[in-house]
Amino acid sequence: DAKTTQPNSMESNEEEPVHLPCNHSTISGTDYIHWYRQLPSQGPEYVIHGLTSNVNNRMASLAIAEDRKSSTLILHRATLRDAAVYYCILRSPLGGSNYKLTFGKGTLLTVNP
Amino acid sequence: NAGVTQTPKFRILKIGQSMTLQCTQDMNHNYMYWYRQDPGMGLKLIYYSVGAGITDKGEVPNGYNVSRSTTEDFPLRLELAAPSQTSVYFCASSESSSGNTIYFGEGSWLTVV
């Protein structure tokens, strides 16, 4: 599986934007970039995903570099409820075991009031 | 909206005992997964299934067994529990395409003493 690299932790203030980076230099042309987050004592939940173009949804935006070797998850106005571990994951369409998600340690986001 | 349901939520096992973690989903997803998460770590894939009657090993399958007799259910069996199996277990499901969201259950906290 292609690997991703994320900072171990980041800190933000409430109501400020947060940019969570992810490097994936070995990404293949057909890998989707997925972001999930895990709140304390809960299972991971989907945030956003994309292939080549930038994506927006009600939770966040995903900015994908032109060469696709990095991406950034953008939380436009952080709230205390956004404090979580954020995982950047690559998902291959090749079928079989490639449909699984391989998790790293993610980025622990702390939001200060 | 039940989604992915896991039972039990908490369980204490003695060394050498066996138990089954139940997982059911009501979204008619073909793909189902079992992950474990040790404290401070990311999720590791134990087993996965791409459809009824088809299962395969993930990264850490030793000490576990699974079956997939129906689309909805994907139980995880622990045989001869060991302290190393103390962990939080997450079941998940998804559609087949790599562009689709993976939905997680709320987790099962297992302690082996």
Side-chain angles (χ1 to χ4, degrees), chain A residues 4 8 43 48 75 77 95 106:
Chain A
T4 62
N8 290 332
I48 201 166
L75 306 179
R77 291 183 65 194

Side-chain angles (χ1 to χ4, degrees), chain B residues 11-89:
Chain B
R11 182 74 187 267
I12 297 175
L13 274 183
K14 292 184 178 179
I15 295 172
Q17 286 185 322
S18 300
M19 75 160 297
T20 299
L21 298 176
Q22 302 291 343
C23 176
T24 187
Q25 52 94 6
D26 62 357
M27 297 172 282
N28 201 35
H29 287 164
N30 288 324
Y31 282 64
M32 295 189 74
Y33 314 82
W34 273 106
Y35 288 88
R36 61 175 286 173
Q37 186 174 33
D38 299 330
M41 305 296 289
L43 281 73
K44 293 185 178 178
L45 183 67
I46 306 171
Y47 271 95
Y48 68 98
S49 169
V50 301
I54 306 169
T55 63
D56 207 347
K57 297 177 181 179
E59 303 170 71
V60 290
N62 292 342
Y64 306 94
N65 279 300
V66 294
S67 59
R68 185 92 183 271
S69 56
T70 66
T71 299
E72 295 78 20
D73 300 309
F74 190 42
L76 177 72
R77 178 118 180 120
L78 281 73
E79 304 282 2
L80 298 175
S84 61
Q85 293 177 304
T86 294
S87 190
V88 183
Y89 292 83

Side-chain angles (χ1 to χ4, degrees), chain A residues 32 34 36 38 41-44 46 49 87 91-93 95-97 99-101 103-105, chain B residues 31 33 35 37 41-43 45 48 90 94-102 104-106 109:
Chain A
Y32 279 81
H34 284 246
Y36 285 74
Q38 187 174 22
S41 300
Q42 294 188 26
Y46 170 80
H49 77 277
Y87 296 100
R91 197 173 180 205
S92 168
S97 65
Y99 283 153
K100 68 181 187 289
L101 294 181
F103 286 81
K105 290 188 178 181
Chain B
Y31 282 64
Y33 314 82
Y35 288 88
Q37 186 174 33
M41 305 296 289
L43 281 73
L45 183 67
Y48 68 98
F90 292 100
S94 76
E95 296 278 4
S96 304
S97 167
S98 61
N100 288 115
T101 302
I102 293 189
F104 286 83
E106 294 185 344
W109 273 254

